[in-house]
């Protein structure tokens, strides 16, 4: 899954057209690298990030979705907590709703049900602006697992088929490095929940804490982390750059196939 952030280009006078056009180009480039999904997001949910208005988020994301849908049949995921955007995106051909707040915003669960689309539920505590003040766990793997299970049951009770639910431990969301590492090391335990796992660690702080490198130099660390996640059962890897992880997965796959040759 290739990430496309649709944020206004503050260094350009081209305004909305420039950012829409460059986001579509970026999505097509990621698809050409091998992405099966493009995750479109118009709100920054990095730790401490401030929210965006509902309308601004629609204005950012919908033109990109519409343009991309015209040019490509790639699966389009919408990274949003905004019920209006969920409904509008479904009409324009989105294929997956990815909500870091797991459809807890008022009207979001109802909107997700109404779209009939698959959804991704992610573990977090509180809001992105405050989540890093809620990082106390006694057993992070068990707590994330039982939280995801409960939230999945709420979604099923609301009318989302279990077969349409993806689960995500939420790397970096209300978690410190030891929690992120415990979740990565024990990711296979979350496969017990019986649903495909989506994970995203691309460029995240945890990689900087391990390597000491800034965001722009975390690509190789990200490839390693996502390969480890895939080996522990992750099925969808949410990344900013697709080519490198694709190579890594092909090396792994070729090696696995060799096991059957001897
Ligand atoms: C995630 C996400 C993630 C899912 C973001 C960033 C922050 N959606 N959206 N999982 N992270 N499902 O990319 O650094 O980990 S935004």
């Amino acid at each position: 899954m290739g990430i496309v952030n649709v944020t206004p280009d503050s260094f350009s006078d081209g305004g909305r057209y420039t950012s829409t056009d460059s986001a579509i180009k970026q999505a097509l480039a990621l698809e050409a690298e091998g992405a099966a999904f493009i995750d479109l997001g118009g709100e920054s949910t990095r730790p401490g990030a401030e929210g965006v208005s509902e309308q601004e988020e629609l204005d950012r994301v919908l033109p990109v979705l519409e343009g991309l849908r015209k040019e490509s049949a790639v699966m389009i995921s919408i990274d949003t907590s905004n019920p209006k955007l969920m409904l509008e995106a479904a009409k324009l051909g989105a294929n997956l709703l990815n909500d870091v707040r797991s459809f807890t915003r008022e009207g979001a669960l109802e909107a997700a049900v109404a779209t009939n689309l698959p959804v991704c539920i992610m573990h977090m505590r509180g809001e992105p602006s405050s989540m890093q003040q809620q990082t106390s766990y006694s057993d992070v793997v068990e707590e994330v697992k039982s939280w995801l299970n409960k939230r999945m049951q709420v979604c099923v009770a609301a009318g989302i088929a279990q077969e349409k639910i993806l689960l995500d431990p939420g790397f970096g969301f209300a978690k410190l490095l030891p929690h992120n590492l415990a979740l990565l090391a024990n990711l296979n335990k979350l496969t017990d929940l019986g649903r495909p796992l989506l994970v995203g660690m691309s460029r995240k702080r945890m990689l900087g804490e391990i390597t000491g490198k800034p965001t722009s130099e975390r690509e190789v660390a990200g490839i390693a982390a996502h390969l480890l996640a895939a080996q522990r059962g992750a099925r969808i890897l949410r990344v900013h750059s697709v080519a490198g992880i694709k190579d890594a997965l092909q090396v792994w796959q070729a090696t696995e196939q060799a096991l059957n040759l001897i």
Side-chain angles (χ1 to χ4, degrees):
M1 172 182 278
I3 302 168
V4 174
N5 288 316
V6 193
T7 43
D9 182 0
S10 54
F11 298 103
S12 157
D13 294 329
R16 192 72 68 188
Y17 175 75
T18 310
S19 51
T20 299
D21 201 43
S22 67
I24 294 169
K25 276 210 185 90
Q26 173 67 2
L28 294 172
L30 289 169
E31 184 188 8
E33 288 182 30
F37 289 85
I38 298 298
D39 190 42
L40 292 181
E43 181 206 9
S44 174
T45 45
R46 289 194 167 278
E50 290 302 322
V52 61
S53 84
E54 272 208 349
Q55 190 57 46
E56 174 65 19
E57 196 186 352
L58 293 168
D59 292 344
R60 289 179 185 182
V61 174
L62 292 176
V64 179
L65 168 57
E66 201 168 8
L68 179 58
R69 183 78 303 159
K70 278 197 194 116
E71 295 193 46
S72 165
V74 72
M75 294 286 200
I76 303 177
S77 161
I78 306 293
D79 190 345
T80 188
S81 303
N82 174 345
K84 184 104 192 289
L85 179 53
M86 293 174 190
L87 294 166
E88 294 301 317
K91 287 184 209 159
L92 293 174
N95 304 96
L96 171 69
L97 301 176
N98 173 32
D99 182 1
V100 299
R101 296 179 183 81
S102 297
F103 310 92
T104 53
R105 208 177 255 178
E106 194 179 342
L109 190 53
E110 293 79 0
V113 172
T115 67
N116 210 27
L117 288 175
V119 300
C120 180
I121 305 174
M122 193 197 79
H123 178 271
M124 177 170 62
R125 286 173 172 175
E127 279 286 311
S129 56
S130 62
M131 64 188 177
Q132 290 310 93
Q133 277 98 61
Q134 298 177 67
T135 56
S136 164
Y137 297 89
S138 53
D139 181 340
V140 68
V141 178
E142 278 311 310
E143 283 173 66
V144 166
K145 184 177 173 182
S146 91
W147 188 97
L148 287 171
N149 195 27
K150 281 192 197 132
R151 192 68 202 153
M152 175 160 64
Q153 297 319 318
V154 171
C155 290
V156 168
I160 299 175
Q162 186 140 325
E163 295 67 34
K164 290 193 170 179
I165 298 176
L166 304 173
L167 301 175
D168 184 335
F171 285 104
F173 286 87
K175 292 166 194 86
L176 303 176
L177 180 60
H179 306 125
N180 292 316
L181 288 174
L183 285 163
L184 178 54
N186 296 288
L187 199 66
N188 56 313
K189 294 188 181 165
L190 301 183
T191 61
D192 296 349
L193 295 170
R195 300 303 311 145
L197 300 179
L198 187 162
V199 302
M201 292 172 277
S202 192
R203 299 183 186 168
K204 283 186 181 174
R205 185 177 301 176
M206 62 182 284
L207 302 177
E209 287 170 337
I210 296 167
T211 62
K213 292 189 173 178
T215 321
S216 60
E217 294 169 28
R218 294 176 189 166
E219 172 70 16
V220 179
I223 292 169
H226 288 97
L227 179 62
L228 290 165
Q231 291 179 329
R232 287 159 172 75
R235 294 287 302 278
I236 301 179
L237 310 172
R238 181 182 176 279
V239 295
H240 291 88
S241 176
V242 171
I245 185 63
K246 200 188 162 195
D247 285 354
L249 292 172
Q250 283 177 331
V251 171
W252 175 38
Q253 190 178 24
T255 308
E256 289 298 312
Q257 281 163 359
L259 281 174
N260 302 322
L261 296 178
I262 45 167

